[in-house]
Amino acid sequence: MSRDQQSFVSSERSPVWSPLQVGAYADYLALLSATNPVVAVEDILARDGELLLTQASLLDQKSIVRLKNKMLARPLADSIRIEKTITAGDLLQHLLDTIRSTEYFQSLAERKHPLSSLEPVCAMLSDLPLVQQFLTVMAAQMNDLYHRTLCVSLWSLYIAQEMRLPAHDSGEIFLAALTHDVGMLHLNPQILHKPDELTADDWQHVQSHVDISTKILRDIPGVSPAIVTAVTEHHERCDGTGYPFAKVESELSIPGQILAVADAIVGIYFNRFKAQGRRWREVIPVLEMNRAAYLYRSCDIVTTMILRSELPLPNLVSGSGVPEFAERMLQQNLHLQNWFTQLRECLTSVGYTHGDRKLHALQNVVLHIATTFKGSLLFKEDLRESLESMASEEADSISKVVADASLVQQEMAFHLQRLSRMMQMYISSGEGKDPKITQRLQDGFTKISGYIGSSTNTPQS
């Protein structure tokens, strides 16, 4: 899962999940079985001893019905075999295809990271049949997630290599990246593909993928504690605004933070830039705006790697489209300023002596946003004057400064959306220590709710 789905959540309130329950994963297996047979390798029993499926039974749509609403004696993944799973050789080929079809990865491989460096880490998959199973299901039933996982794995490996970590550690970081989202296979597809704005409960369900991935990996022979820790931490942030435990930098592992920044930049690229035909180079201004959230060294390495590729910035808009673009940016700036003012007033009006750690985390995000964007070029007078001039008379193209400002603008919209959602989840959790403060926040959120999702430049989460 990408960084565009971050928000505040209490780990104690994460939905309870057990590897013994039958859910979305069983449905994915049944769909896969139509083209790639999935067979029970043992009798599948309910926890109370009831025989549900006999050994050698085919898992199809009909047989899966017998497992519904049952708690199994053993995890379903341990009791089945897929006829053809993704092998180490298949994984290597999929990574090579990803590199050759992606201008940035191809440039990077040519300059610094030879394709041969992938062979040893892919070979590790041969000793992990359950991971092979999960990747096979993901590739068949959630192909977009699988492709993103390959990209996160490449980024994680390259960052680890740039940091000159030992080969063993780099390999473990690669495996953590490869498995960090296996929990998504167990989430409700209706929520994952919901066309409407997700509710606080929906976000809590989505965020539970971290806990599910952790539980799954912890029980797989050959998966080290370091890999499990990295997966658990891939949505944690150095400034304490991540989940599920809101850890800070001193509490986080290096592998976890390498995976975190790799997952984040892939999310930024796929959720915002790819559909617009934009390039990896444009991730840099966004990453610069978020240095407090990620390990500084990894941010520097990512920036260096992207610049090393020497890919040029595309021209976002030109000719007759420039005035409209500039006017839209001016209106968006005003919208964002008003939105942030409402959020800041709401969250700071309750004071700082309440002793509520979760509320303090929300207030820290406000301070982070204020500090980050105060020093940015977004609200500088010369930028406003430049935009007003562009809006009033046709120009051939926009400048690099304006192009970067548009990225910063999108980033601020993301942060305000995220903070608004964090605030909503805090209010709905019922865990506020002071009912009066919670009510004040609720009143404030009512005013803010009109801003959420109304921004034309706001990236889709």
Side-chain angles (χ1 to χ4, degrees):
M1 180 178 189
S2 74
R3 143 185 115 84
D4 289 335
Q5 292 175 315
Q6 292 175 35
S7 56
F8 185 82
V9 65
S10 165
S11 60
E12 289 85 355
R13 286 180 55 80
S14 296
V16 176
W17 177 86
S18 166
L20 302 180
Q21 68 192 54
V22 178
Y25 191 63
D27 292 323
Y28 288 139
L29 288 172
L31 290 170
L32 175 64
S33 193
T35 55
N36 188 0
V38 181
V39 178
V41 295
E42 61 186 17
D43 289 345
I44 297 180
L45 307 175
R47 179 179 276 179
D48 61 7
E50 177 188 359
L51 177 62
L52 302 175
L53 287 178
T54 58
Q55 183 179 359
S57 294
L58 182 71
L59 269 73
D60 54 18
Q61 299 282 9
K62 183 177 180 180
S63 63
I64 286 296
V65 173
R66 301 177 210 165
L67 307 181
K68 290 295 184 180
N69 302 316
K70 300 287 186 178
M71 289 291 287
L72 305 183
R74 279 169 46 80
L76 183 60
D78 293 344
S79 302
I80 59 97
R81 177 180 57 81
I82 301 174
E83 183 174 284
K84 180 175 174 53
T85 58
I86 290 177
T87 65
D90 294 330
L91 176 61
L92 177 61
Q93 187 59 56
H94 295 167
L95 290 169
L96 294 178
D97 290 343
T98 299
I99 291 171
R100 288 164 180 158
S101 64
T102 308
E103 186 180 21
Y104 167 73
F105 283 133
Q106 188 170 354
S107 175
L108 197 62
E110 291 171 353
R111 286 174 167 79
K112 181 74 173 181
H113 298 276
L115 301 181
S116 59
S117 67
L118 297 175
E119 295 176 3
V121 293
C122 289
M124 299 168 70
L125 187 65
S126 298
D127 298 324
L128 299 168
L130 277 177
V131 174
Q132 290 177 271
Q133 178 189 138
F134 295 134
L135 292 179
T136 301
V137 177
M138 185 186 294
Q141 304 303 322
M142 301 180 75
N143 188 254
D144 180 64
L145 179 64
Y146 180 66
H147 180 58
R148 292 188 185 210
T149 296
L150 295 177
C151 291
V152 173
S153 300
L154 287 170
W155 267 111
S156 297
L157 178 64
Y158 291 160
I159 293 172
Q161 291 175 342
E162 291 281 344
M163 292 177 72
R164 299 186 179 180
L165 297 182
H168 175 268
D169 294 353
S170 297
E172 290 203 325
I173 291 170
F174 175 82
L175 280 179
L178 204 59
T179 57
H180 76 285
D181 271 347
V182 295
M184 298 289 283
L185 294 169
H186 297 267
L187 299 188
N188 185 341
Q190 292 182 337
I191 293 178
L192 292 179
H193 303 296
K194 188 176 181 179
D196 304 323
E197 184 75 15
L198 298 186
T199 66
D201 286 343
D202 291 339
W203 278 111
Q204 185 172 320
H205 179 73
V206 171
Q207 290 177 350
S208 71
H209 82 279
V210 175
D211 183 54
I212 297 172
S213 296
T214 299
K215 289 179 178 177
I216 289 172
L217 294 174
R218 191 178 287 139
D219 292 333
I220 296 180
V223 173
S224 72
I227 293 174
V228 175
T229 297
V231 171
T232 302
E233 294 177 348
H234 80 273
H235 278 294
E236 298 285 1
R237 299 294 178 254
C238 291
D239 59 0
T241 61
Y243 66 88
F245 302 114
K247 292 182 178 182
V248 294
E249 183 174 355
S250 61
E251 301 172 304
L252 297 169
S253 67
I254 295 295
Q257 283 308 285
I258 289 175
L259 176 53
V261 76
D263 185 51
I265 58 181
V266 169
I268 292 169
Y269 175 74
F270 277 92
N271 291 344
R272 304 191 203 178
F273 297 159
K274 186 177 181 182
Q276 302 172 21
R278 296 159 81 169
R279 296 182 174 181
W280 283 100
R281 164 66 178 79
E282 296 172 272
V283 170
I284 292 178
V286 178
L287 195 60
E288 290 295 317
M289 290 292 103
N290 290 277
R291 279 184 168 268
Y294 301 105
L295 190 68
Y296 281 109
R297 188 178 175 195
S298 62
C299 288
D300 288 338
I301 285 172
V302 169
T303 299
T304 299
M305 290 168 65
I306 293 176
L307 292 177
R308 185 190 294 147
S309 71
E310 299 179 358
L311 297 179
L313 273 170
N315 190 7
L316 296 182
V317 63
S318 60
S320 60
V322 172
E324 181 182 353
F325 180 88
E327 179 61 33
R328 192 164 62 247
M329 278 195 68
L330 286 168
Q331 294 301 318
Q332 178 74 341
N333 265 9
L334 180 62
H335 175 83
L336 295 175
Q337 285 178 313
N338 292 336
W339 188 357
F340 176 66
T341 298
Q342 292 280 354
L343 274 169
R344 181 176 57 189
E345 289 179 355
C346 180
L347 284 167
T348 59
S349 67
V350 299
Y352 297 90
T353 60
H354 43 73
D356 188 328
R357 175 173 175 152
K358 297 179 178 64
L359 182 52
H360 276 307
L362 294 175
Q363 293 174 320
N364 285 340
V365 176
V366 170
L367 295 174
H368 169 64
I369 293 174
T371 301
T372 300
F373 291 100
K374 183 178 181 180
S376 75
L377 51 78
L378 193 58
F379 301 121
K380 300 291 185 183
E381 183 65 20
D382 54 349
L383 176 65
R384 184 185 64 79
E385 292 175 354
S386 177
L387 288 172
E388 288 177 345
S389 175
M390 291 165 58
S392 61
E393 56 185 72
E394 185 173 318
D396 291 334
S397 63
I398 62 174
S399 66
K400 180 182 181 300
V401 171
V402 173
D404 282 348
S406 72
L407 298 177
V408 175
Q409 191 178 73
Q410 291 182 36
E411 185 63 10
M412 185 171 187
F414 164 77
H415 278 285
L416 295 181
Q417 266 198 335
R418 176 175 175 246
L419 178 55
S420 299
R421 190 179 299 123
M422 289 166 69
M423 185 174 165
Q424 180 187 20
M425 294 182 72
Y426 171 80
I427 294 168
S428 65
S429 71
E431 295 180 352
K433 291 187 175 182
D434 188 332
K436 292 182 180 179
I437 288 180
T438 302
Q439 184 58 52
R440 188 182 300 179
L441 294 177
Q442 178 63 67
D443 294 340
F445 182 78
T446 301
K447 298 177 183 178
I448 295 163
S449 58
Y451 290 98
I452 303 174
S454 63
S455 172
T456 55
N457 282 336
T458 298
Q460 186 177 10
S461 296

